Amino acid sequence: MRRAWFLALLTALPAPALAWDGTGHMMVAAVAYDRLTPAARSKADALLRRNPDYASWVANVAPADRARAAFVHAATWPDDIKGRHGYIAASEDPNAPAAMRITGYADRQEHREWHYVDIAFSPDGKRVNPPPKANAQAMIVAMRGVLATADRTADARSYSLVWLLHLVGDIHQPLHAAERVTAEMPDGDRGGNSVHVCTTSCGHNLHAVWDDILGQNLSMDAVLAKAKALPAAPAPAAAKTDPAAWAQESNALARSVVYAPPVQAEGQNFQLDMAYLQRAEAVAQSQVALAGARLALLLNTALR
């Protein structure tokens, strides 16, 4: 049955993606929701009601379950707006101060540069550049501050909340915190998006494999069940509050696990075997559980 599950996963893997699949992000939020204080839950729900998609998140949901459903769905909003009419895909200069402004829902930029902090490394000693200033790590710090500041507008705090639900998940995806620079790709591999791999067929990329390893397009009930089945995050690790440390942990996982054989330093269309994919699933489960625990601590602190 396990082999059949993996074969079904592999045949469904998509073209290049930009974040954990919605399933992974919703699982992070589900783990976090169960660890929130009653006060944080109440404040989060009040802020999420300001999001333009709130009505769709709770449509056909029983009143007692609406707060949880909205919280879990909200974790996908920064991906949901990609390509949506009225939003601007073109990124601003990520090193300009304006790229980090947090105003609220009147901001129609998609801010794709906020989803990752690609800490470059080179296995063969190539020169690497630091990440741009507007990145997932920096925005988590900035938005955590907005959320915790009572005199910021409710709109800006709501906007920060939905982004935090998403970005804490993003920064725990190893390929959102790493970019490999080689002689073949001196400008970097775009977090694995430029590394082509094969599973049951070719035409996939390494980033997309990791994004979707936990499943795709699952129902709310299936997401909640998968979240409850995750191994609990170790308490010492869950207590770490520094996004820079989170990014470094993800970067280390990318180096030691993501780019491990059968992925090589040069070449394309590496054949990913069952052992590699099982390791990837185990790492993804651990990272999602850890992200959920850390997200809960962040929100309990900011919303107390």
Side-chain angles (χ1 to χ4, degrees):
M1 288 180 65
R2 186 171 183 80
R3 179 174 175 80
W5 184 90
F6 267 102
L7 289 175
L9 167 67
L10 298 183
T11 57
L13 287 173
L18 293 171
W20 288 118
D21 180 84
T23 296
H25 279 293
M26 292 170 74
M27 287 172 65
V28 170
V31 171
Y33 191 82
D34 285 340
R35 299 172 75 118
L36 292 181
T37 65
R41 286 183 184 178
S42 177
K43 292 178 181 179
D45 187 55
L47 288 171
L48 292 177
R49 289 172 184 271
R50 304 184 68 87
N51 185 280
D53 285 4
Y54 182 87
S56 67
W57 296 338
V58 300
N60 302 314
V61 177
D65 298 326
R66 287 175 185 167
R68 182 191 299 272
F71 188 91
V72 173
H73 275 300
T76 69
W77 187 80
D79 276 346
D80 295 340
I81 62 172
K82 292 173 183 173
R84 182 180 290 184
H85 178 71
Y87 285 85
I88 303 166
S91 295
E92 299 172 295
D93 178 357
N95 288 308
M100 293 184 63
R101 68 181 183 273
I102 302 168
T103 56
Y105 294 112
D107 182 353
R108 310 298 281 186
Q109 288 280 345
E110 292 180 6
H111 292 296
R112 298 192 180 202
E113 68 280 2
W114 288 358
H115 291 259
Y116 53 87
V117 51
D118 282 346
I119 303 168
F121 72 97
S122 176
D124 49 10
K126 300 296 179 186
R127 183 176 181 273
V128 299
N129 295 315
K133 293 180 180 179
N135 59 58
Q137 176 185 315
M139 295 313 301
I140 289 171
V141 173
M143 290 172 169
R144 179 174 62 186
V146 171
L147 187 62
T149 304
D151 61 359
R152 290 296 299 263
T153 67
D155 195 64
R157 296 178 74 222
S158 174
Y159 182 82
S160 295
L161 174 58
V162 294
W163 271 99
L164 283 167
L165 294 179
H166 188 86
L167 293 181
V168 174
D170 272 344
I171 205 171
H172 284 82
Q173 206 277 46
L175 285 172
H176 277 255
E179 179 175 55
R180 189 174 65 171
V181 176
T182 62
E184 186 177 60
M185 296 183 185
D187 295 324
D189 68 359
R190 299 170 51 243
N193 273 294
S194 298
V195 179
H196 301 290
V197 297
C198 304
T199 53
T200 54
S201 63
C202 295
H204 313 301
N205 75 75
L206 188 62
H207 191 113
V209 168
W210 278 82
D211 278 349
D212 298 305
I213 198 68
L214 292 173
Q216 295 176 263
N217 304 318
L218 300 186
S219 68
M220 175 64 74
D221 286 344
V223 166
L224 295 178
K226 284 178 71 73
K228 283 192 175 297
L230 290 172
K240 290 185 179 180
T241 59
D242 182 7
W246 304 347
Q248 290 296 334
E249 290 171 356
S250 292
N251 183 269
L253 284 171
R255 296 191 193 205
S256 64
V257 180
V258 177
Y259 290 104
V263 178
Q264 304 294 329
E266 303 288 349
Q268 293 286 354
N269 291 321
F270 306 114
Q271 183 68 49
L272 303 185
D273 56 21
M274 187 72 68
Y276 180 95
L277 292 165
Q278 287 175 332
R279 288 195 302 273
E281 183 192 24
V283 168
Q285 289 178 338
S286 176
Q287 286 295 96
V288 164
L290 188 56
R294 288 170 170 173
L295 174 61
L297 178 58
L298 184 159
L299 297 181
N300 284 336
T301 302
L303 296 174
R304 64 187 174 190

Short mmCIF file of all heavy atoms in Angstrom, two decimals, residues 213-246:
data_model
loop_
_atom_site.label_atom_id
_atom_site.label_comp_id
_atom_site.label_asym_id
_atom_site.label_seq_id
_atom_site.Cartn_x
_atom_site.Cartn_y
_atom_site.Cartn_z
N ILE A 213 5.51 16.74 -1.38
CA ILE A 213 5.76 15.42 -0.84
C ILE A 213 4.72 15.00 0.19
O ILE A 213 4.51 13.80 0.44
CB ILE A 213 7.19 15.36 -0.23
CG1 ILE A 213 7.65 13.91 -0.06
CG2 ILE A 213 7.25 16.12 1.08
CD1 ILE A 213 7.88 13.18 -1.36
N LEU A 214 4.00 15.95 0.80
CA LEU A 214 2.99 15.62 1.81
C LEU A 214 1.60 15.44 1.21
O LEU A 214 0.66 15.12 1.93
CB LEU A 214 2.95 16.71 2.89
CG LEU A 214 4.19 16.77 3.77
CD1 LEU A 214 4.14 17.98 4.69
CD2 LEU A 214 4.35 15.51 4.59
N GLY A 215 1.46 15.66 -0.08
CA GLY A 215 0.16 15.49 -0.72
C GLY A 215 -0.32 16.78 -1.36
O GLY A 215 0.20 17.86 -1.08
N GLN A 216 -1.32 16.65 -2.21
CA GLN A 216 -1.84 17.80 -2.96
C GLN A 216 -3.35 17.87 -2.86
O GLN A 216 -4.04 16.86 -2.94
CB GLN A 216 -1.45 17.68 -4.43
CG GLN A 216 0.03 17.77 -4.71
CD GLN A 216 0.30 17.55 -6.18
OE1 GLN A 216 0.62 16.46 -6.61
NE2 GLN A 216 0.14 18.61 -6.96
N ASN A 217 -3.84 19.10 -2.70
CA ASN A 217 -5.27 19.40 -2.82
C ASN A 217 -6.14 18.50 -1.95
O ASN A 217 -7.18 18.00 -2.38
CB ASN A 217 -5.69 19.27 -4.30
CG ASN A 217 -4.87 20.16 -5.20
OD1 ASN A 217 -4.59 21.30 -4.87
ND2 ASN A 217 -4.46 19.62 -6.35
N LEU A 218 -5.72 18.30 -0.70
CA LEU A 218 -6.50 17.47 0.20
C LEU A 218 -7.65 18.26 0.81
O LEU A 218 -7.60 19.48 0.92
CB LEU A 218 -5.61 16.94 1.32
CG LEU A 218 -4.43 16.05 0.90
CD1 LEU A 218 -3.75 15.49 2.14
CD2 LEU A 218 -4.85 14.93 -0.03
N SER A 219 -8.69 17.55 1.23
CA SER A 219 -9.82 18.19 1.89
C SER A 219 -9.41 18.67 3.27
O SER A 219 -8.39 18.24 3.83
CB SER A 219 -10.97 17.19 2.02
OG SER A 219 -10.61 16.16 2.94
N MET A 220 -10.23 19.54 3.85
CA MET A 220 -9.94 20.04 5.19
C MET A 220 -9.86 18.89 6.19
O MET A 220 -8.94 18.83 7.03
CB MET A 220 -11.02 21.03 5.63
CG MET A 220 -10.88 21.52 7.05
SD MET A 220 -9.39 22.49 7.35
CE MET A 220 -9.82 24.03 6.53
N ASP A 221 -10.79 17.94 6.12
CA ASP A 221 -10.77 16.81 7.05
C ASP A 221 -9.48 16.00 6.90
O ASP A 221 -8.89 15.58 7.90
CB ASP A 221 -11.98 15.90 6.81
CG ASP A 221 -13.28 16.51 7.32
OD1 ASP A 221 -13.23 17.48 8.10
OD2 ASP A 221 -14.36 16.02 6.92
N ALA A 222 -9.03 15.79 5.67
CA ALA A 222 -7.80 15.03 5.44
C ALA A 222 -6.59 15.80 5.97
O ALA A 222 -5.68 15.20 6.54
CB ALA A 222 -7.64 14.72 3.95
N VAL A 223 -6.57 17.11 5.77
CA VAL A 223 -5.47 17.93 6.28
C VAL A 223 -5.40 17.86 7.80
O VAL A 223 -4.33 17.66 8.39
CB VAL A 223 -5.63 19.39 5.82
CG1 VAL A 223 -4.71 20.32 6.61
CG2 VAL A 223 -5.34 19.51 4.33
N LEU A 224 -6.55 18.00 8.45
CA LEU A 224 -6.57 17.96 9.91
C LEU A 224 -6.13 16.60 10.44
O LEU A 224 -5.41 16.51 11.45
CB LEU A 224 -7.96 18.31 10.42
CG LEU A 224 -8.46 19.73 10.13
CD1 LEU A 224 -9.88 19.92 10.65
CD2 LEU A 224 -7.54 20.77 10.73
N ALA A 225 -6.53 15.54 9.74
CA ALA A 225 -6.13 14.19 10.16
C ALA A 225 -4.63 13.99 10.01
O ALA A 225 -3.97 13.43 10.89
CB ALA A 225 -6.90 13.14 9.36
N LYS A 226 -4.07 14.46 8.89
CA LYS A 226 -2.63 14.34 8.68
C LYS A 226 -1.85 15.16 9.71
O LYS A 226 -0.80 14.74 10.19
CB LYS A 226 -2.26 14.78 7.26
CG LYS A 226 -2.59 13.77 6.18
CD LYS A 226 -2.24 14.29 4.79
CE LYS A 226 -0.75 14.35 4.56
NZ LYS A 226 -0.13 13.02 4.38
N ALA A 227 -2.37 16.33 10.05
CA ALA A 227 -1.70 17.17 11.03
C ALA A 227 -1.68 16.51 12.40
O ALA A 227 -0.66 16.54 13.11
CB ALA A 227 -2.37 18.54 11.10
N LYS A 228 -2.80 15.90 12.78
CA LYS A 228 -2.85 15.24 14.09
C LYS A 228 -1.94 14.03 14.16
O LYS A 228 -1.48 13.63 15.24
CB LYS A 228 -4.30 14.83 14.40
CG LYS A 228 -5.17 16.00 14.85
CD LYS A 228 -6.48 15.53 15.42
CE LYS A 228 -7.30 16.69 15.97
NZ LYS A 228 -6.62 17.36 17.10
N ALA A 229 -1.66 13.41 13.00
CA ALA A 229 -0.82 12.21 12.97
C ALA A 229 0.67 12.52 12.95
O ALA A 229 1.49 11.60 13.03
CB ALA A 229 -1.19 11.36 11.75
N LEU A 230 1.04 13.79 12.85
CA LEU A 230 2.45 14.14 12.79
C LEU A 230 3.15 13.85 14.11
O LEU A 230 2.55 13.98 15.18
CB LEU A 230 2.61 15.64 12.48
CG LEU A 230 2.24 16.11 11.09
CD1 LEU A 230 2.28 17.64 11.02
CD2 LEU A 230 3.16 15.51 10.03
N PRO A 231 4.42 13.49 14.05
CA PRO A 231 5.18 13.35 15.30
C PRO A 231 5.32 14.71 15.97
O PRO A 231 5.51 15.74 15.30
CB PRO A 231 6.54 12.81 14.82
CG PRO A 231 6.63 13.26 13.40
CD PRO A 231 5.24 13.22 12.85
N ALA A 232 5.25 14.74 17.29
CA ALA A 232 5.36 16.01 18.00
C ALA A 232 6.76 16.58 17.86
O ALA A 232 7.75 15.85 17.89
CB ALA A 232 5.02 15.81 19.47
N ALA A 233 6.85 17.89 17.71
CA ALA A 233 8.15 18.54 17.63
C ALA A 233 8.83 18.49 18.99
O ALA A 233 8.18 18.70 20.02
CB ALA A 233 7.98 19.99 17.19
N PRO A 234 10.14 18.24 19.03
CA PRO A 234 10.85 18.25 20.32
C PRO A 234 10.72 19.62 20.99
O PRO A 234 10.85 20.66 20.34
CB PRO A 234 12.30 17.96 19.92
CG PRO A 234 12.22 17.31 18.57
CD PRO A 234 11.02 17.91 17.91
N ALA A 235 10.47 19.62 22.29
CA ALA A 235 10.22 20.87 23.01
C ALA A 235 11.37 21.87 22.89
O ALA A 235 11.12 23.07 22.67
CB ALA A 235 9.91 20.57 24.48
N PRO A 236 12.64 21.46 23.03
CA PRO A 236 13.72 22.45 22.91
C PRO A 236 13.75 23.12 21.54
O PRO A 236 13.98 24.33 21.43
CB PRO A 236 14.99 21.64 23.18
CG PRO A 236 14.52 20.46 23.96
CD PRO A 236 13.16 20.14 23.42
N ALA A 237 13.52 22.34 20.49
CA ALA A 237 13.52 22.91 19.14
C ALA A 237 12.31 23.81 18.94
O ALA A 237 12.41 24.89 18.34
CB ALA A 237 13.54 21.80 18.09
N ALA A 238 11.16 23.39 19.44
CA ALA A 238 9.94 24.19 19.29
C ALA A 238 10.04 25.53 19.99
O ALA A 238 9.36 26.49 19.62
CB ALA A 238 8.74 23.40 19.81
N ALA A 239 10.90 25.63 21.01
CA ALA A 239 11.02 26.86 21.79
C ALA A 239 11.93 27.89 21.13
O ALA A 239 12.03 29.02 21.62
CB ALA A 239 11.55 26.53 23.18
N LYS A 240 12.60 27.53 20.04
CA LYS A 240 13.46 28.49 19.36
C LYS A 240 12.62 29.54 18.66
O LYS A 240 11.72 29.22 17.87
CB LYS A 240 14.35 27.78 18.33
CG LYS A 240 15.43 26.90 18.94
CD LYS A 240 16.34 26.34 17.85
CE LYS A 240 17.45 25.48 18.44
NZ LYS A 240 18.33 24.92 17.38
N THR A 241 12.91 30.81 18.90
CA THR A 241 12.07 31.90 18.39
C THR A 241 12.76 32.76 17.33
O THR A 241 12.15 33.71 16.83
CB THR A 241 11.62 32.81 19.54
OG1 THR A 241 12.79 33.35 20.19
CG2 THR A 241 10.80 32.05 20.56
N ASP A 242 13.99 32.45 16.97
CA ASP A 242 14.76 33.29 16.05
C ASP A 242 14.61 32.79 14.61
O ASP A 242 15.10 31.71 14.27
CB ASP A 242 16.24 33.27 16.45
CG ASP A 242 17.09 34.17 15.56
OD1 ASP A 242 16.53 34.90 14.73
OD2 ASP A 242 18.33 34.13 15.71
N PRO A 243 13.94 33.54 13.73
CA PRO A 243 13.79 33.11 12.35
C PRO A 243 15.12 32.88 11.62
O PRO A 243 15.19 32.06 10.69
CB PRO A 243 13.00 34.25 11.70
CG PRO A 243 12.22 34.84 12.83
CD PRO A 243 13.15 34.75 14.02
N ALA A 244 16.18 33.58 12.03
CA ALA A 244 17.49 33.34 11.42
C ALA A 244 17.96 31.92 11.71
O ALA A 244 18.54 31.25 10.85
CB ALA A 244 18.51 34.35 11.94
N ALA A 245 17.71 31.44 12.93
CA ALA A 245 18.07 30.06 13.27
C ALA A 245 17.22 29.08 12.49
O ALA A 245 17.72 28.03 12.05
CB ALA A 245 17.91 29.84 14.78
N TRP A 246 15.93 29.39 12.29
CA TRP A 246 15.08 28.51 11.50
C TRP A 246 15.61 28.38 10.08
O TRP A 246 15.66 27.28 9.52
CB TRP A 246 13.65 29.05 11.44
CG TRP A 246 12.99 29.31 12.75
CD1 TRP A 246 13.40 28.89 14.00
CD2 TRP A 246 11.79 30.06 12.96
NE1 TRP A 246 12.53 29.33 14.96
CE2 TRP A 246 11.52 30.05 14.37
CE3 TRP A 246 10.91 30.73 12.12
CZ2 TRP A 246 10.42 30.69 14.92
CZ3 TRP A 246 9.81 31.37 12.66
CH2 TRP A 246 9.56 31.35 14.05
#
